[in-house]
Amino acid sequence: MLKEENDTLERTMVDPMFRADVLNGLAARPRAIQARWFYDHRGSQLFEQITDLPEYYPTRTEAALLDKAGPQVLEIAGAGRAVVEFGSGSSAKTPRVLSAIKPSAYVPIDISGDFLRESARELSRQFPDLPVHPVEANFLHPVPLPDQVATLPKLGFFPGSTIGNMTAAAAVDLLRAMRHSLGEGAHLLIGIDRVKDPAVLVPAYDDSQGVTAAFNMNLLERINRELDGTIPIENFRHKAVWNAAIERIEMHLEAVRDSEFTVEGRSFSIRQGETIHTENSHKYTPSGARLLLRSGGWTPVAEWTDPDDKFALLLAEA
Ligand code: AVI
């Protein structure tokens, strides 16, 4: 598809929630736009590239932990479960879990139906004997699971430290919703990134090749493309900072000079040095991660970390 055609297509399919979040977020003080809007087609491609960056340790560290933990998860949770993956996306980590856990069914849940069906088809090719029941839903709320898995014990799977992109309060609500969706006797296998030296954390969100910067800046490009914006992209720069008090990495778009622009005909101005806050990535200490799970109604039963304790995989029971 030609770029112009793609731009036209994206403009005609604007999500009203995107429009509302951007207009409200630019008018608010401090300015903030939700990180969920990073993931248009280009943003999803850039995120895939981030996961391969030398500085971005979470993806490869978690993959190694999943290989290590698989047999023990099977021992603790037992075979024959329905594996329910929340926000399955491309299901990139799923084969690791499915081969180790010997499930009776796989239920990927994602808000993006097209993506979901395509990755479900791909998984069925890799695991031809495994029943796959995709569910298109927003997993932030309790999700009714398909009848076919009603009688099976469940193993929830939530990798990637995606939970870190929420405030602790929202994370607790989500864990409770998951417990509700999965029911009594369920287990949850979850990846949670650790608090660590900012000298490791900051480069993971401000890499030397500038991929994370492009990922962040793509949000401005998306606003210009989809919401008829006139944001002068070159007047902004990517900024990643460690907020020690709240134990989170924050991503911002910082104005490098005073700027004025319009979005959907509304005028905005931003002074040099002011920022638009675009993402939080909360990190947890060992006890903080366990407390988070307990607050969400889950009892931690096992935990795996890499030798440098960069990232943790936790198994909890309902
Ligand atoms: C999806 N999420 C867990 C990533 C993270 O590490 O918080 C998103 C990301 N943002 C910049 N790099 C990666």
Side-chain angles (χ1 to χ4, degrees):
M1 191 190 296
L2 288 172
K3 186 178 171 300
E4 295 75 43
E5 283 173 0
N6 193 32
D7 287 357
T8 310
L9 193 67
E10 290 201 344
R11 236 194 321 271
T12 52
M13 300 190 316
V14 175
D15 184 330
M17 293 287 287
F18 178 49
R19 175 186 290 121
D21 275 359
V22 168
L23 293 175
N24 292 335
L26 290 175
R29 296 293 177 274
R31 296 173 184 81
I33 299 174
Q34 291 182 48
R36 58 186 282 214
W37 303 117
F38 281 142
Y39 300 92
D40 65 349
H41 184 68
R42 175 82 186 122
S44 302
Q45 283 177 333
L46 287 164
F47 180 65
E48 288 299 312
Q49 287 180 35
I50 287 176
T51 62
D52 279 337
L53 290 170
E55 295 97 332
Y56 193 75
Y57 58 86
T59 311
R60 80 182 67 88
T61 311
E62 185 181 52
L65 291 175
L66 285 168
D67 288 344
K68 186 162 104 177
Q72 289 164 60
V73 174
L74 176 62
E75 216 176 284
I76 300 169
R81 291 192 163 243
V83 170
V84 179
E85 182 167 2
F86 295 93
S88 48
S90 64
S91 296
K93 293 166 186 155
T94 320
R96 287 193 141 81
V97 172
L98 297 184
S99 348
I101 293 199
K102 306 192 189 337
S104 295
Y106 172 56
V107 182
I109 305 177
D110 205 283
I111 200 152
S112 160
D114 291 345
F115 210 19
L116 177 72
R117 280 182 286 277
E118 187 173 319
S119 43
R121 268 197 298 277
E122 175 53 34
L123 265 185
S124 294
R125 271 193 288 275
Q126 280 185 58
F127 298 89
D129 299 328
L130 180 70
V132 177
H133 307 287
V135 175
E136 186 175 346
N138 178 357
F139 64 81
L140 296 179
H141 307 288
V143 179
L145 297 181
D147 290 345
Q148 295 95 320
V149 303
T151 58
L152 296 175
K154 314 291 185 306
L155 173 70
F157 182 44
F158 194 41
S161 200
T162 303
I163 195 128
N165 294 130
M166 290 159 206
T167 61
V172 166
D173 288 347
L174 172 61
L175 289 165
R176 288 188 180 277
M178 286 175 169
R179 194 179 183 286
H180 196 273
S181 304
L182 297 173
E184 283 303 312
H187 282 77
L188 176 68
L189 186 61
I190 183 169
I192 302 186
D193 199 8
R194 289 279 202 239
V195 170
K196 65 183 74 63
D197 188 343
V200 176
L201 279 167
V202 174
Y205 293 83
D206 194 4
D207 61 279
S208 57
Q209 294 170 52
V211 181
T212 313
F215 175 69
N216 199 7
M217 298 286 284
N218 178 59
L219 183 61
L220 298 180
E221 282 158 23
R222 182 177 182 187
I223 294 170
N224 281 355
R225 265 194 312 267
E226 295 185 30
L227 301 178
D228 209 11
T230 62
I231 303 174
I233 311 279
E234 64 289 354
N235 285 6
F236 288 84
R237 73 168 187 108
H238 165 66
K239 188 173 168 187
V241 287
W242 172 240
N243 183 331
I246 317 180
E247 297 180 324
R248 70 185 188 199
I249 285 282
E250 294 179 3
M251 295 211 315
H252 294 257
L253 290 159
E254 183 184 30
V256 292
R257 55 188 75 87
D258 293 356
S259 306
E260 293 190 353
F261 54 88
T262 60
V263 176
E264 294 237 311
R266 268 172 63 180
S267 301
F268 297 94
S269 62
I270 184 164
R271 305 285 299 270
Q272 180 183 350
E274 291 179 345
T275 74
I276 306 168
H277 187 170
T278 49
E279 187 179 53
N280 292 315
S281 195
H282 295 84
K283 310 302 173 187
Y284 287 88
T285 60
S287 57
R290 291 191 291 266
L291 177 62
L292 178 74
L293 284 170
R294 284 202 301 276
S295 309
W298 294 91
T299 307
V301 290
E303 187 170 319
W304 299 266
T305 57
D306 53 295
D308 299 327
D309 201 19
K310 281 200 189 120
F311 196 94
L313 193 61
L314 287 96
L315 182 67
E317 63 186 14

